[in-house]
Amino acid sequence: MTEPLRLLCLEGDGIGPEIVNATLAVVQAAGRVLNRKIQTEKMDIGFAALKAKGSTIPQSVIEAAESVDGVILGPVSHNEYPPVEQGGRNPSGVLRKELELFANHRPAKTWVGLDAPSRKSFDLIVMRENLEGFYADRNMFAGCGEFMPEPDVALAVRKVTRKASLDIARAGFELAASRPAKHVTVVHKANVMRMTDGLFLECTRSVAKEFPSVAYKEMLVDAAAAHLVRDPTRFDVLITTNMFGDILSDLASELAGGLGLAGSLNFGARHAVAQAQHGSAPDIAGRDVANPVSLVLSVEMLLRHLGETNAADLIRASVGVALESPETRTRDLQGTLGTSAFTEVLCKLVEEGAR
């Protein structure tokens, strides 16, 4: 008998519980086309875990995440957490580091029926290195990558390694090779960060030689931002370092219609975490108005990563159908539905597609 697909669900803060439950309902609706049954377990993170166990991400959660096939991570209010020494760790950053999730795969695409700020239809992906760069909570074995030698001076260390650069480059090229355009743009700032981005470029160029069918281009990050605004259709897969990828992926998603329509998958050699691109939106929590599409698409990516291609295709197609008409969209997209009603519509579309 085939082992079930084990998913750990971490609801998080704010609208997290609402959109996680909506997403799980959609996954269950796709049950007929799944190769394996889904087995889910819920554990607390964020403020609920801080109150109960003194930490926003207890060690038991990390251990559970290491033992399952995939993690569904709800949004968290980490900017509101107490200091780390008081238990206020960012669950997202902790999981990325502890599970060695070196890649953050962030698609940005326009949807039929929705107006986009880009005024052009496009479909691109930002492949962001996830474990180092300027991110002070991730780039040291122990301690923090930010420090103050005196009260009026703050310093930050940027870490770029050959291994991480090769890992994200290879992941990006493998993805580009599977897409129609077969085109990679490596985004950097090597004209001023000659050693760190110089090493990053050395690695991407070496990987490019392994993929002769994929077109290769390099672009400075400021130019990439400008060209994204002017004409996002010129890009297919962008490969870049942590902070640049964080910024450019948000820009691309907003140009496509907003973070609420953009999925996100963190993955490494052994683990994967689905995570919505947007935040926890505590101001609308519990009001049945949150749009779950970003997390639904993130879990669609997780299912695809785990080999459940049929279910992933069905969920993505059903989201596309739901977004076409105001009658089947949430109110933030000039629709008429709340979270629960939209989830029912999406589940029905998935179930119909699975017959």
Side-chain angles (χ1 to χ4, degrees), residues 130-197:
N130 219 15
L131 294 178
E132 47 188 41
F134 271 125
Y135 282 69
D137 63 339
R138 261 159 271 171
N139 67 6
M140 294 291 176
F141 172 74
C144 182
E146 287 189 310
F147 49 97
M148 297 182 72
E150 59 171 281
D152 296 324
V153 177
L155 302 175
V157 174
R158 184 184 195 229
K159 177 184 176 184
V160 174
T161 67
R162 187 176 303 277
K163 182 183 185 305
S165 300
L166 289 172
D167 283 344
I168 192 62
R170 191 159 286 112
F173 273 93
E174 287 173 352
L175 181 63
S178 70
R179 289 167 59 86
K182 291 181 169 50
H183 186 271
V184 157
T185 304
V186 173
V187 179
H188 65 97
K189 194 65 177 173
N191 58 329
V192 292
M193 301 171 112
R194 295 184 182 276
M195 285 189 284
T196 49
D197 269 345

Side-chain angles (χ1 to χ4, degrees), residues 213-234:
S213 66
V214 177
Y216 178 80
K217 184 179 181 64
E218 296 171 1
M219 188 175 293
L220 294 172
V221 63
D222 42 340
H227 285 298
L228 268 172
V229 173
R230 180 179 292 274
D231 184 14
T233 65
R234 68 180 295 167

Side-chain angles (χ1 to χ4, degrees), residues 221-345:
V221 63
D222 42 340
H227 285 298
L228 268 172
V229 173
R230 180 179 292 274
D231 184 14
T233 65
R234 68 180 295 167
F235 296 104
D236 180 31
V237 175
L238 296 89
I239 301 174
T240 190
T241 51
N242 202 335
M243 185 173 288
F244 294 162
D246 197 1
I247 296 167
L248 292 180
S249 60
D250 277 15
L251 173 59
S253 293
E254 284 298 323
L255 289 170
L259 298 182
L261 299 172
S264 175
L265 182 70
N266 305 283
F267 67 88
R270 293 175 297 135
H271 303 287
V273 175
Q275 178 182 17
Q277 283 201 29
H278 58 72
S280 60
D283 56 319
I284 61 170
R287 293 169 50 189
D288 192 43
V289 297
N291 181 349
V293 165
S294 180
L295 189 60
V296 169
L297 290 175
S298 301
V299 174
E300 172 260 312
M301 295 170 67
L302 176 62
L303 291 175
R304 193 179 303 278
H305 183 78
L306 295 174
E308 295 289 349
T309 306
N310 291 336
D313 288 344
L314 176 57
I315 291 172
R316 174 166 284 272
S318 299
V319 168
V321 172
L323 294 179
E324 285 184 14
S325 170
E327 288 75 26
T328 52
R329 295 201 296 254
T330 47
R331 288 189 282 275
D332 59 305
L333 300 175
Q334 292 74 54
T336 60
L337 305 180
T339 310
S340 299
F342 176 78
T343 302
E344 290 178 8
V345 167

Side-chain angles (χ1 to χ4, degrees), residues 94-108:
V94 170
L95 287 176
R96 292 178 188 194
K97 186 172 182 178
E98 294 293 331
L99 302 183
E100 298 180 3
L101 307 175
F102 63 79
N104 187 196
H105 175 175
R106 290 192 172 187

